[in-house]
């Protein structure tokens, strides 16, 4: 019975599949957001020690991006600063990071992590429902199969981060 | 396949495996899989780097969890039911949810009893599928079965259900013969805030849940919930109402902590109390007419408490220690059963060199049982009280032979109180043909260990007329000669990510069973214990049957558009049991075909449905039937959701399973509707 039907089913499914468009793994697109935020946020001067300091993107906890984020960062510059990626196992290593993606693997520790980042001008990004309400700066969440941005303007202001009006216009603002 | 109990952290990071080989034997499929230029471009970092924010916001994304991706790479047949599948199923209980998993047999016997199995041997309390909730076994070892009316987790709290078809003895030990059903609940970090659900329907007349979750300090979270439900009586085939309705109260708490980056701690507990009924073809040892259907009380009180500590060591290896206790008191058909299971498990997962991924563990389990019978009824177990211990150790090594071939070897070694030493080895070979297709092969041994009932039950099964004599009582008797039921299983599977939108999964299996439990006829005798002489025909348990089964399961996931997903599934099973006087091979459908559809309409409306054909049961008076379930949901913003669902819309009523033990007289499964309100705050 199976042998009689399977080729037909497979062929049928294949025919239909080629007609549809393509969708992409969420973390490939989220990696695109993480790197492009560098162009839409202004850090205070003290976030860089010298004019040639690199621009540092960090990932705290289990890196969900696979090799995608490293691929996006490699060889790129922001202004005249080289873009760099660092993976952290502890929030105490976060000094020097400009953008910090906090993995969902650290969900239970968000409050502890975010409160220890309070004094630092770090643009923190998460992708769980309550990330901005816990004090994170930006959240990437999926709605109807597309990535949406949420920004906590209070947290951004506390950290002296100036967010461009273009990014603000696309984001849902949380106060 | 690795056991994952917390659902929090997946294993090692995905290795980058790419190579361009295809196999000629698979040319039919391979030919139809041209390189997808669009996909390759979209995934290209250069392309993403150049994208504007607006462009990024317009890309449609898939959100398959890493855990699901890891599972889909194992050398075992796995189907994952995720939170979206659960929310949109319209189901009110776990048995109805399991209907969507291809190859799982779910048949309802009466309002609160189910026969659930995988790959055959289905029955009330079928004994070859292990069921766990967060790593806690809810299969009762001393009884060899699962009380599905006690398996009640608020569906909103389920992270996923992993349904593994085929043996899992190497990791999970005895009784994971034909499959494992792993119910994994959400971390308390994911259920913060309030949740209230309220529902009412034609069968589930009331169902309400109140839950609250919040942070516990800066490194933890907790949730507490309470639930009440009431299920109406169902209807016998003749149209008469049965007395099998039930109602229950449930409460639970879960707390998760991450005191450091390397440690997570989880503590949870549940309490459930149900009160219901069922109609039993009761057999009295007393005077004629012996067998009178009796409406019985069915009550249950159960509770559990579990603690788990996971620790990541500096070298990247990890350990976990889990302790739990399960207690229940169940009164069913006049038989009162008390069971308490204490279990402690340790597991260590380490990378040995660059090629070996090793996991090993230790397990100790003590189970206390007591059974008693009210005088009129007919079930006794000897000894009436006992405590049995189980010791187990397992080791499994996943060896990366090359970038595209991995070999997994392992075995469980255990000592149980009935048959002593047992071992359950397995071997799996996974070949990733390219980054979109994989092929796997496996061979495994698994056992079902005998239980207190196999050894010492005395059960009056039925009264049969003996020509020229009159009525005679048929009894079933346990025997210490019963052996462990054994399976030697061989499987092959194929998986393909045909495009970003379409995936396919096919498994075939060949299973050889030995020492299957049978009943042999003993010498008839006459008893006068009830006053008048009564002829007794004793049947005694033995381990004399063997079987050869084979079959296949296939399913696909097709994201037709961003708003519409179709999931077809198919399974077939051929069983040959020798000897098989009861026709057990005919207790399972020979094929099941299903199609699920999840459709997101504009204005936050959801229209979901499934249609499933289930083949007839050859040795029962159950003919093939088609179930049609449908759900219409409406999300009002972030916090409110309203849904109306209908089950069995295709037929007014149908039979799904006959319980041949006579413990519960089957009723029909009726067309039902249910309306539900979900409020999160």
């Amino acid at each position: 019975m199976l042998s009689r039907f399977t080729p037909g089913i497979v062929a049928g499914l294949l025919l239909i599949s080629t007609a549809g468009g393509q969708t992409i793994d969420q973390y490939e697109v989220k990696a695109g957001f993480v790197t492009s935020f560098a162009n839409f946020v202004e850090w205070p001067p003290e976030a860089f020690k010298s004019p040639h300091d690199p621009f540092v993107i960090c990932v705290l906890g289990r890196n969900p991006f696979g090799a995608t984020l490293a691929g996006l960062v490699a060889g790129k510059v922001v202004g005249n600063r080289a873009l760099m990626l660092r993976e952290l196992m502890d929030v105490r290593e976060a000094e020097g990071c400009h953008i910090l993606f906090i993995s969902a693997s650290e969900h239970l520790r968000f409050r502890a992590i975010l409160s220890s980042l309070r004094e630092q001008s770090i643009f923190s990004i998460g992708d769980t429902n309550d990330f901005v309400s816990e004090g994170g700066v930006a959240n990437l969440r999926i709605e109807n199969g597309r990535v949406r941005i949420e920004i906590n303007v209070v947290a951004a202001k506390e950290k002296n981060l100036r967010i461009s009006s273009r990014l603000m216009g696309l984001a849902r603002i949380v106060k | 396949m690795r056991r994952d109990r917390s659902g929090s952290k997946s294993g090692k990071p995905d290795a980058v495996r790419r190579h361009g080989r295809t196999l000629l034997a698979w040319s039919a499929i391979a030919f139809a899989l041209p390189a997808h230029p669009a996909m390759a471009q979209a995934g290209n970092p250069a392309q993403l780097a150049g994208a504007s924010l607006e462009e990024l916001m317009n890309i449609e994304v898939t959100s398959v969890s890493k855990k699901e991706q890891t599972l889909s790479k194992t050398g075992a047949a796995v189907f994952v039911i995720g939170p979206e599948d659960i929310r949109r199923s319209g189901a009110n209980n776990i048995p109805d949810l399991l209907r969507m998993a291809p190859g799982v047999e779910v048949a309802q016997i009466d309002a609160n009893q189910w026969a659930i199995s995988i790959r055959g041997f289905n029955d009330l309390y079928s004994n070859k599928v292990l069921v766990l909730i967060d790593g806690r076994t809810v299969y009762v070892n001393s009884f060899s079965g699962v009380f599905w009316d006690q398996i009640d987790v608020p569906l909103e709290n389920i992270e996923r259900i992993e349904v593994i078809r085929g043996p899992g003895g190497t990791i999970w030990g005895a009784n994971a013969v034909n499959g494992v059903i792993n119910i994994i609940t959400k971390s308390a970090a994911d259920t913060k805030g309030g949740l209230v659900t309220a529902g009412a329907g034609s069968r589930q007349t009331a169902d309400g849940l109140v839950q609250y979750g919040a942070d516990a300090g800066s490194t933890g979270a907790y949730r507490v919930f309470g639930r009440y439900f009431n299920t109406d009586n169902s209807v016998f085939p003749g149209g008469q109402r049965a007395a099998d309705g039930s109602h229950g109260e449930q409460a639970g708490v879960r707390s998760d902590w991450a005191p450091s980056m390397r440690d997570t701690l989880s503590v949870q507990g549940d309490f459930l109390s149900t009160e219901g009924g069922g109609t039993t073809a009761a057999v009295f040892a007393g005077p004629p007419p012996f067998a009178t259907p009796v409406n019985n009380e069915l009550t249950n009180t159960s509770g559990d408490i579990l603690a788990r500590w996971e620790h990541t060591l500096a070298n990247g290896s990890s350990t976990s220690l889990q302790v739990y206790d399960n207690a229940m008191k169940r009164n069913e058909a006049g038989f009162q059963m008390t069971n308490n299971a204490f279990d402690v498990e340790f597991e260590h997962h380490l990378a040995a060199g660059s090629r070996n991924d090793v996991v090993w563990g230790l397990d100790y389990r003590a189970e206390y049982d007591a059974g008693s019978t009210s005088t009129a009824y007919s079930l006794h177990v000897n000894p009436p009280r006992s405590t049995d211990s189980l010791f187990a150790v397992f080791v499994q090594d996943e060896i990366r032979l090359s970038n595209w071939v991995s070999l997994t070897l392992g075995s469980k070694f255990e000592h149980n109180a009935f048959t002593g030493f047992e071992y359950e080895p397995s071997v799996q070979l996974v070949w990733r043909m390219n980054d979109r297709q994989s092929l796997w092969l496996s061979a495994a041994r698994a056992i079902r260990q005998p239980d207190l009932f196999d050894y010492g039950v005395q059960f009056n099964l039925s009264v049969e007329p003996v020509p020229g004599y009159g009525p005679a009582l048929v009894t079933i008797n346990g025997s210490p000669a019963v052996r462990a039921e054994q399976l030697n299983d061989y499987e092959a599977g194929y998986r393909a990510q045909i495009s970003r939108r379409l995936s396919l999964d096919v498994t075939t299996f060949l299973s050889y069973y030995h020492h299957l439990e049978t009943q042999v006829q003993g010498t008839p005798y006459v008893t006068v214990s009830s006053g008048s002489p009564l002829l007794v025909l004793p049947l005694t348990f033995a381990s004399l049957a063997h079987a050869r089964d084979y079959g296949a399961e296939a399913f696909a996931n097709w994201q037709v558009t961003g708003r519409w997903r179709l999931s077809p599934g198919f399974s077939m099973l051929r069983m040959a049991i020798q000897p098989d006087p009861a026709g057990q091979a005919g207790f399972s459908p020979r094929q099941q075909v299903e199609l699920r559809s999840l459709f997101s309409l504009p204005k936050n409306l959801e229209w979901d449905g499934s249609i499933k054909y289930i083949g007839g049961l050859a040795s029962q008076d159950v003919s093939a039937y088609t179930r049609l379930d449908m759900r219409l949901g409406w999300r009002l913003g972030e916090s409110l959701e309203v849904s109306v669902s209908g089950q069995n819309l295709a037929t007014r009523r149908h039979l799904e399973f006959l319980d041949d033990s006579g413990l519960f007289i089957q009723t029909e499964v009726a067309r039902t509707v249910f309306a539900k309100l979900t409020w999160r705050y």
Side-chain angles (χ1 to χ4, degrees), chain B residues 179-191:
Chain B
V180 180
I181 296 172
N182 249 332
I183 300 163
I184 293 154
T185 66
K186 290 175 181 169
S187 160
D190 298 323
T191 54

Side-chain angles (χ1 to χ4, degrees), chain A residues 2 6 23 36 49 60-62 68 70 72 76 80 82 85 90 93 101-103 109 118 138 145 150 169 173:
Chain A
L2 182 71
T6 309
T23 55
S36 56
K49 289 195 185 80
L60 176 64
R62 189 165 56 75
T68 313
L72 283 178
K76 298 285 169 7
N80 53 1
L85 179 68
D90 194 313
E93 302 161 13
F101 183 87
I102 304 175
S103 166
R109 302 176 45 76
R118 182 156 291 168
E150 288 177 328
I173 307 299

Side-chain angles (χ1 to χ4, degrees), chain A residues 1-2 5-7 9-37 39-40 60-68 71-73 76 88-92 104-113 115 128-130 134 141-150 164 166-167 170-172, chain B residues 8-11 16 28-29 32-34 36 38-39 42-46 48-49 51-54 56-66 69 187-190 192 215-221 256-265 312 498-502 504 506-508 552-554 556 558-560 562-563 568 570 572 574 591 600 604 638:
Chain A
M1 171 127 185
L2 182 71
F5 287 127
T6 309
I9 292 170
V10 171
L13 291 172
L14 287 171
L15 262 178
I16 305 161
S17 77
T18 49
Q22 299 295 338
T23 55
I24 300 182
D25 181 85
Q26 54 168 326
Y27 282 104
E28 294 184 22
V29 176
K30 286 176 179 175
F33 277 104
V34 170
T35 47
S36 56
F37 284 152
N39 300 311
F40 298 96
L60 176 64
R62 189 165 56 75
N63 182 353
F65 300 104
T68 313
L72 283 178
V73 163
K76 298 285 169 7
L88 314 182
M89 269 305 287
D90 194 313
V91 69
R92 282 171 295 191
S105 70
E106 304 311 307
H107 199 169
L108 280 166
R109 302 176 45 76
F110 277 175
R111 289 193 1 158
I113 290 167
S115 71
T128 51
N129 285 346
D130 54 349
E134 294 278 16
R141 58 186 295 174
I142 294 177
E143 275 174 35
N144 296 323
R146 287 176 172 80
V147 179
R148 293 285 168 264
I149 312 165
E150 288 177 328
S164 81
R166 183 160 159 218
L167 176 51
L170 293 171
R172 195 171 78 90
Chain B
S8 56
K9 290 184 182 170
S10 75
V16 182
I29 292 167
L33 284 172
H36 282 271
M39 185 175 82
N44 184 334
L48 279 170
S52 69
L53 287 177
E54 291 83 352
L56 287 170
M57 289 182 78
N58 268 325
I59 299 175
E60 224 175 85
V61 296
T62 54
S63 51
V64 180
S65 72
K66 284 280 175 225
Q69 287 179 11
S187 160
D190 298 323
K192 282 186 248 177
D215 286 316
S218 60
T219 59
D256 293 273
W257 304 78
S260 84
M261 291 284 289
R262 300 194 180 281
D263 296 279
T264 59
L265 187 66
T312 308
I498 292 163
S499 75
R500 293 271 181 173
R501 288 177 176 278
L502 181 67
L504 178 71
V506 183
T507 307
T508 60
E553 296 119 4
W558 177 28
Q559 193 74 44
V560 187
R563 291 179 174 279
F570 167 81
M572 61 149 284
R574 296 291 180 270
Q591 49 263 328
S600 303
N604 291 323
E638 296 268 296

Side-chain angles (χ1 to χ4, degrees), chain B residues 257-477:
Chain B
W257 304 78
S260 84
M261 291 284 289
R262 300 194 180 281
D263 296 279
T264 59
L265 187 66
S266 182
V267 179
Q268 56 195 92
D270 302 272
F271 172 81
L272 172 71
S273 165
T274 62
E275 213 171 297
T279 305
T280 304
V283 177
F284 296 82
F290 307 107
T292 319
V294 179
N295 289 335
N296 277 306
E297 260 200 1
L298 170 59
T299 60
N300 154 61
T301 310
S302 57
D304 58 81
I305 181 154
L306 176 144
R308 185 189 315 109
W309 172 40
E310 291 178 4
H311 179 67
T312 308
L313 291 115
N315 60 7
S317 72
S318 61
T319 58
S320 80
L321 180 67
Q322 173 181 283
V323 184
Y324 68 81
D325 193 272
N326 244 350
M328 68 163 215
K329 195 169 225 177
R330 185 179 173 91
N331 191 336
E332 173 176 321
F335 182 73
Q336 197 180 75
M337 178 173 175
T338 305
N339 172 276
N340 188 82
F342 170 80
D343 190 297
V344 51
E345 283 173 54
F346 171 79
E347 208 174 289
H348 183 197
H349 173 210
L350 65 155
S354 59
R355 291 183 177 276
N356 293 272
D357 199 31
V358 179
V359 56
W360 65 274
L362 299 167
D363 185 7
Y364 170 74
R365 185 179 177 84
E367 216 164 314
Y368 165 80
D369 286 275
S372 62
T373 307
S374 59
T375 48
Y377 296 96
S378 50
L379 184 68
H380 297 270
V381 180
N382 280 319
R385 239 174 289 279
S386 66
T387 302
D388 300 311
S389 293
L390 175 85
F391 302 90
V393 49
F394 83 95
V395 60
Q396 181 177 283
D397 186 9
E398 184 185 336
I399 308 158
R400 213 154 58 90
L401 297 177
S402 75
N403 279 345
W404 53 89
V405 181
S406 73
L407 178 72
T408 305
L409 296 163
S411 184
K412 188 125 188 170
F413 304 93
E414 45 188 13
H415 188 277
N416 71 60
F418 299 89
T419 58
F421 176 74
E422 298 284 354
Y423 63 101
E424 287 141 292
S426 67
V427 52
Q428 301 163 358
L429 187 73
V430 181
W431 174 32
R432 305 236 316 144
M433 295 151 76
N434 52 45
D435 57 356
R436 288 197 302 271
Q437 294 180 79
S438 64
L439 200 58
W440 58 268
L441 298 168
S442 77
R445 179 185 196 268
I447 62 138
R448 199 275 294 178
Q449 79 177 54
D451 59 40
L452 290 174
F453 288 70
D454 294 325
Y455 269 37
V457 75
Q458 281 177 287
F459 178 43
N460 295 351
L461 178 71
S462 64
V463 174
E464 307 287 345
V466 174
Y469 183 84
L473 179 68
V474 182
T475 64
I476 289 188
N477 303 278

Side-chain angles (χ1 to χ4, degrees), chain B residues 448-661:
Chain B
R448 199 275 294 178
Q449 79 177 54
D451 59 40
L452 290 174
F453 288 70
D454 294 325
Y455 269 37
V457 75
Q458 281 177 287
F459 178 43
N460 295 351
L461 178 71
S462 64
V463 174
E464 307 287 345
V466 174
Y469 183 84
L473 179 68
V474 182
T475 64
I476 289 188
N477 303 278
S479 158
V482 170
R483 302 173 65 169
E485 295 185 314
Q486 181 191 324
L487 164 66
N488 293 325
D489 177 87
Y490 307 92
E491 299 189 24
Y494 169 75
R495 291 190 185 98
Q497 187 69 44
I498 292 163
S499 75
R500 293 271 181 173
R501 288 177 176 278
L502 181 67
S503 64
L504 178 71
D505 191 309
V506 183
T507 307
T508 60
F509 62 91
L510 175 61
S511 306
Y512 293 94
Y513 297 85
H514 302 283
H515 315 306
L516 288 172
E517 193 165 79
T518 49
Q519 294 156 6
V520 289
Q521 217 154 2
T523 317
Y525 60 92
V526 175
T527 174
V528 286
S529 61
S530 57
S532 52
L534 180 65
L535 179 67
V536 178
L537 305 173
L539 294 170
T540 305
F541 282 138
S543 302
L544 300 175
H546 55 97
R548 192 200 68 182
D549 300 352
Y550 65 93
E553 296 119 4
F555 60 89
N557 257 315
W558 177 28
Q559 193 74 44
V560 187
T561 70
R563 291 179 174 279
W564 188 22
R565 191 177 104 194
L566 277 179
S567 308
F570 167 81
S571 66
M572 61 149 284
L573 171 69
R574 296 291 180 270
M575 299 176 74
I577 308 177
Q578 282 294 330
D580 189 17
Q584 210 185 357
F587 282 21
S588 294
R590 286 161 67 89
Q591 49 263 328
Q592 301 190 77
V593 187
E594 65 173 302
L595 180 66
R596 270 193 308 139
S597 162
L598 300 185
F599 196 12
S600 303
L601 298 161
K603 307 224 179 279
N604 291 323
L605 283 168
E606 296 166 336
W607 181 38
D608 310 314
S610 79
I611 184 158
K612 182 166 186 176
Y613 165 86
I614 296 106
L617 309 184
S619 38
Q620 298 196 347
D621 197 14
V622 173
S623 41
Y625 56 92
T626 302
R627 284 180 64 101
L628 174 67
D629 298 344
M630 224 168 260
R631 170 184 176 274
L632 190 64
W634 186 28
R635 305 186 84 165
L636 296 101
E638 296 268 296
S639 56
L640 203 60
E641 180 187 317
V642 183
S643 70
V644 180
S645 49
Q647 290 190 319
N648 302 308
L649 298 171
T651 55
R652 186 160 159 259
R653 287 204 307 261
H654 66 262
L655 267 182
E656 295 193 347
F657 202 85
L658 312 190
D659 170 31
D660 68 330
S661 74

